[in-house]
Amino acid sequence: MHEYFNRQIKLWGEEVQDSLQNKKVAIIGSGGLGCTLGIALGASGIGEFALVDFDDVGVHNIHRQIGFKVGDDGKYKAEVLKELLESRCPYTKATAYVESFDEFAKRDLEFDLIIDATDNLPSRAAINKYCLERKQPWIYGTVEEFHGQVCFFEEASYEAVFKINDRKPNGIACPIVMHIGSLQANLAIRHLAGLPVKKDILYYLSFDEEGILQNQKFNLPKN
């Protein structure tokens, strides 16, 4: 195993790398963000995943949801992603939960981290409520068009910052999905490896009118 993770061990040593095998992460949503998160964190050596998604793969998903290929349409996203992670990441175990987050929450399982990879505000509000009640750290992410947002929530409340409605996102470019999922994964792996991560800061990535990539940061009010 140490040869497999040689480059990461150079970052933080064998003890930290070995500790990642004991970490449990729940990824809520197995679409674009969920695929990127699962691949990135599975390849980093996280030992166990819960993949939560009740939806199946549609042909229109495949261009931006990098865990799926033509021929996967009609299959449950969580089950396809589970198979991919366990075949690609030899030190990872994944469990697919083909159900909503509300159903999953009733299982009352324990995780080191919960990561939002959903595509709607009501689901994020439910994740926020669940995590606040349990003092559970979680990472939020959203994408639309060419921009996206990420935040590692610890004491701040998602509902105190965002208006909750059932609005559907506009078009989405594939690279921004991978960009935001990668940023979420970077925050996650630093936290799980015991490295410093500043919590309750909203990162907003966007292109301005001249096509310059902007990375803005906002401190969020804490409860």
Side-chain angles (χ1 to χ4, degrees), residues 14-209:
E14 293 182 358
E15 184 176 350
V16 170
Q17 185 63 53
D18 291 346
S19 73
L20 297 179
Q21 282 288 288
N22 299 320
K23 302 300 183 183
K24 297 181 180 180
V25 174
I27 300 176
I28 315 303
S30 297
L33 293 174
C35 287
T36 298
L37 282 160
I39 293 170
L41 294 176
S44 297
I46 301 304
E48 188 170 341
F49 291 95
L51 306 173
V52 183
D53 198 311
F54 59 83
D55 199 8
D56 54 38
V57 179
V59 173
H60 65 284
N61 299 139
I62 297 171
H63 91 277
R64 69 188 183 282
Q65 300 183 7
I66 62 172
F68 311 135
K69 61 186 183 300
V70 174
D72 287 333
D73 44 303
K75 300 177 183 177
Y76 286 117
K77 292 181 179 180
E79 293 181 348
V80 176
L81 185 56
K82 165 190 163 61
E83 292 180 7
L84 173 63
L85 294 192
E86 292 187 340
S87 65
R88 189 185 186 282
C89 309
Y91 303 101
T92 287
K93 175 185 176 182
T95 302
Y97 295 91
V98 182
E99 59 194 20
S100 69
F101 176 73
D102 288 337
E103 294 172 313
F104 176 73
K106 294 175 184 177
R107 297 178 180 272
D108 201 27
L109 303 175
E110 294 186 3
F111 296 94
D112 296 287
L113 186 64
I114 291 178
I115 309 180
D116 159 47
T118 63
D119 62 357
N120 66 88
L121 278 68
S123 293
R124 294 188 185 106
I127 295 170
N128 176 73
K129 180 180 178 182
Y130 176 90
C131 291
L132 280 176
E133 289 175 350
R134 291 161 177 77
K135 298 187 183 302
Q136 166 74 60
W138 69 287
I139 298 176
Y140 150 75
T142 186
V143 291
E144 185 172 8
E145 298 177 352
F146 289 98
H147 57 266
Q149 301 174 10
V150 174
C151 181
F152 194 129
F153 279 96
E154 185 176 54
E155 297 180 39
S157 171
Y158 175 83
E159 288 192 84
V161 180
F162 296 95
K163 181 179 180 181
I164 307 302
N165 57 45
D166 60 358
R167 174 184 173 277
K168 301 300 181 184
N170 293 324
I172 302 172
C174 175
I176 192 63
V177 178
M178 298 172 68
H179 192 157
I180 295 300
S182 178
L183 179 52
Q184 287 181 287
N186 270 283
L187 294 176
I189 199 66
R190 286 184 63 87
H191 171 73
L192 295 167
L195 301 175
V197 179
K198 188 70 174 177
K199 314 297 198 306
D200 300 318
I201 292 181
L202 179 69
Y203 296 93
Y204 178 57
L205 283 76
S206 63
F207 285 93
D208 67 12
E209 293 179 355

